[in-house]
Amino acid sequence: AMHVNGATPAVGPAWKSEQAFKNRSSKAIAALRQHIVSVPLVAEIDKMVRLYRGSQWAQGAPILTATYPATYHVVALQGQPLQGAHLVAFQQCGNSLARHVLARLKLDGMPRRVSGLDVANQNTVWANISLSNSVGIAQSTPTALKTYLEQVNSERNTPHPQNDVLVKFLQVLQGGPKEIATKAMDELASPRQDWRNADGTGSPAPPG
């Protein structure tokens, strides 16, 4: 009699190959932790692994697929091709968590020579940020845009000052639906605590 599950042998090797790939990635990450003496860098490794395993995309978990995950926090981008900084990271590191971790360690802990092309690419990514291309239009758009801007800015060789990030936030929102632009102007007049400078600049005037 014929077996019904004739397709299983074709699936099994593929699954084993994928699992072996993940195991190699995990071993590489473990080796990095073992040989790195910098406490902040080890903490960064653990953070990236934790965010990825928890699918915490809004907090900066690396994306290991060419499209945004079905659980991505910006609904409009779920299943869509990666864009901006996410696309650049995937093109450089692919579907290996270990490569994403190593790239972040190089960015955070190893001084490197900055070329004019690096700066030009970073400026292009920054200039092309928009609601439609970067986060989509949804109820969570302002929050998603803020998170995205902070992520892209943190990956620059020379990050923009916080005030410039706020200006970019408002500019992008003003290019979207009118109701979002109105909320942006209200935010400029009375910024939330997380948009204020450490010295309190931008705080609303005390009641008097």
Side-chain angles (χ1 to χ4, degrees), residues 95 114 149 167:
N95 61 344
V114 180
L149 285 172
V167 170

Side-chain angles (χ1 to χ4, degrees), residues 93-173:
C93 305
N95 61 344
S96 168
L97 181 58
R99 286 198 291 267
H100 282 267
V101 168
L102 183 58
R104 178 59 61 86
L105 294 182
K106 288 181 178 179
L107 184 65
D108 290 350
M110 300 180 186
R112 67 187 185 93
R113 191 173 181 180
V114 180
S115 70
L117 182 59
D118 286 336
V119 175
N121 287 339
Q122 292 168 0
N123 289 341
T124 298
V125 169
W126 184 258
N128 288 337
I129 294 176
S130 67
L131 294 184
S132 58
N133 292 335
S134 305
V135 296
I137 307 296
Q139 185 175 2
S140 60
T141 290
T143 301
L145 175 61
K146 176 178 179 292
T147 299
Y148 184 71
L149 285 172
E150 290 175 342
Q151 177 188 344
V152 173
N153 193 46
S154 69
E155 294 172 352
R156 292 177 59 87
N157 296 108
T158 304
H160 291 294
Q162 185 67 10
N163 281 347
D164 289 355
V165 178
L166 174 57
V167 170
K168 181 68 172 180
F169 173 80
L170 296 174
Q171 288 175 341
V172 175
L173 286 182

Side-chain angles (χ1 to χ4, degrees), residues 40-58:
L41 291 183
V42 171
E44 183 65 23
I45 293 175
D46 293 342
K47 176 184 176 183
M48 289 188 68
V49 173
R50 182 178 67 254
L51 292 178
Y52 173 72
R53 290 178 176 173
S55 300
Q56 298 181 51
W57 316 116

Side-chain angles (χ1 to χ4, degrees), residues 21 31 68 84 126 174 203:
F21 178 80
Y68 286 98
W126 184 258
Q174 286 177 320
S203 303

